[in-house]
Amino acid sequence: MENILVAGANGTTGKQIVNLLKESQYFNPIAMVRKEEQKEYFKAKQIDTVLGDLEGDVDKVFNKIENVDKVLFVAGSGGKKVVEVDQEGAKRLIDASKENNIKKFVMLSSMGADKPEEAEQLQEYLKAKHNADEYLKESGLNYSIVRPGSLTNKEPHNQIELQEKLNKRGEISRNDVAQTLVRTLNDDVANKATFEIIKGDTLIGEALDKFSTVNA
């Protein structure tokens, strides 16, 4: 099994991702949390945890873990510290991942991060995501950048619409995003690729397989 470091594990989407990873036969989640008290949720589920602050020295996180194979970045500041966390925190973790020879870095981004200057709302947030995405692309790491539409807390639909650029807006449940991110960790899925997703009519695995074949 591969060890997956999940940055932002304590968030709403992060918890869903960690739970999916725990159920997987391929991946072992390591929940990266900022505070000691946040460990309890994961310990109760027998999920490995590690303390790490994206605003601090994230190199120490890798020193505390014997082996990390891949990284999933789903952290967010909730609009409070977009430069410090969403941008610079991501960059710190990308640098640390590079130093530790991570096999793949999967980034949760956002639709609109390709052209933040055109956004009517959340420009600062999208600019931070854009800068983090570009930094990852230029890092030399193998990566996947996943850009969902508006996130909802609705029940999973298990079907998505996926394209490098959808050219339309839409929403998607957090669970469907979590499922997509977990599947994207696989070695043969969306390597060195960026794509957008919203609720659609194609099964998540099928949509990713089709995209990966075209972009291989």
Side-chain angles (χ1 to χ4, degrees):
M1 292 180 84
E2 291 185 312
N3 287 327
I4 311 299
L5 179 67
V6 183
N10 199 55
T12 310
T13 308
K15 283 178 177 172
Q16 294 193 36
I17 286 165
V18 170
N19 289 331
L20 285 170
L21 289 169
K22 183 67 176 173
E23 294 166 9
S24 164
Q25 57 184 325
Y26 306 110
F27 304 122
N28 173 57
I30 301 167
M32 178 176 153
V33 296
R34 210 160 44 89
K35 299 173 183 173
E36 189 69 40
E37 57 267 27
Q38 293 171 339
K39 285 183 173 182
E40 294 308 313
Y41 171 87
F42 302 102
K43 281 185 175 176
K45 292 173 175 278
Q46 296 180 308
I47 291 166
D48 296 330
T49 62
V50 62
L51 276 178
D53 189 349
L54 288 166
E55 293 182 72
D57 184 2
V58 292
D59 286 322
K60 292 176 182 174
V61 171
F62 290 89
N63 297 336
K64 296 173 189 173
I65 307 164
E66 198 165 308
N67 181 36
V68 178
D69 296 290
K70 295 172 182 174
V71 172
L72 224 171
F73 186 93
V74 293
S77 63
K80 294 167 189 165
K81 292 184 173 182
V82 291
V83 173
E84 294 92 332
V85 175
D86 302 74
Q87 178 179 301
E88 295 306 312
K91 286 183 180 181
R92 287 187 196 96
L93 195 58
I94 290 164
D95 288 342
S97 297
K98 198 171 175 180
E99 286 170 25
N100 287 275
N101 301 309
I102 295 305
K103 290 192 276 183
K104 193 173 192 179
F105 192 111
V106 177
M107 174 83 86
L108 175 58
S109 183
S110 174
M111 199 178 279
D114 56 333
K115 293 181 178 176
E117 67 282 354
E118 295 179 8
E120 292 177 14
Q121 298 173 320
L122 303 172
Q123 263 201 19
E124 189 186 7
Y125 167 73
L126 291 172
K127 183 81 188 295
K129 295 304 287 183
H130 172 83
N131 291 340
D133 291 353
E134 291 303 308
Y135 194 81
L136 177 57
K137 288 179 188 177
E138 293 165 13
S139 69
L141 286 168
N142 184 23
Y143 68 86
S144 298
I145 297 170
V146 183
R147 291 175 170 165
S150 302
L151 299 180
T152 73
N153 292 315
K154 294 177 182 175
E155 289 296 305
H157 181 60
N158 302 316
Q159 293 176 309
I160 58 173
E161 188 172 349
L162 185 159
Q163 292 287 343
E164 187 172 342
K165 180 72 178 170
L166 284 167
N167 293 310
K168 63 178 176 181
R169 305 296 295 176
E171 64 176 34
I172 184 167
S173 75
R174 290 180 185 277
N175 188 276
D176 288 335
V177 172
Q179 287 187 60
T180 303
L181 289 164
V182 168
R183 285 174 177 267
T184 304
L185 286 165
N186 289 307
D187 290 333
D188 56 350
V189 174
N191 291 313
K192 295 203 170 177
T194 304
F195 59 86
E196 298 180 346
I197 52 171
I198 54 174
K199 181 180 175 181
D201 302 316
T202 307
L203 289 169
I204 292 169
E206 192 181 318
L208 283 167
D209 288 345
K210 186 177 177 183
F211 177 77
S212 301
T213 302
V214 171
N215 290 272

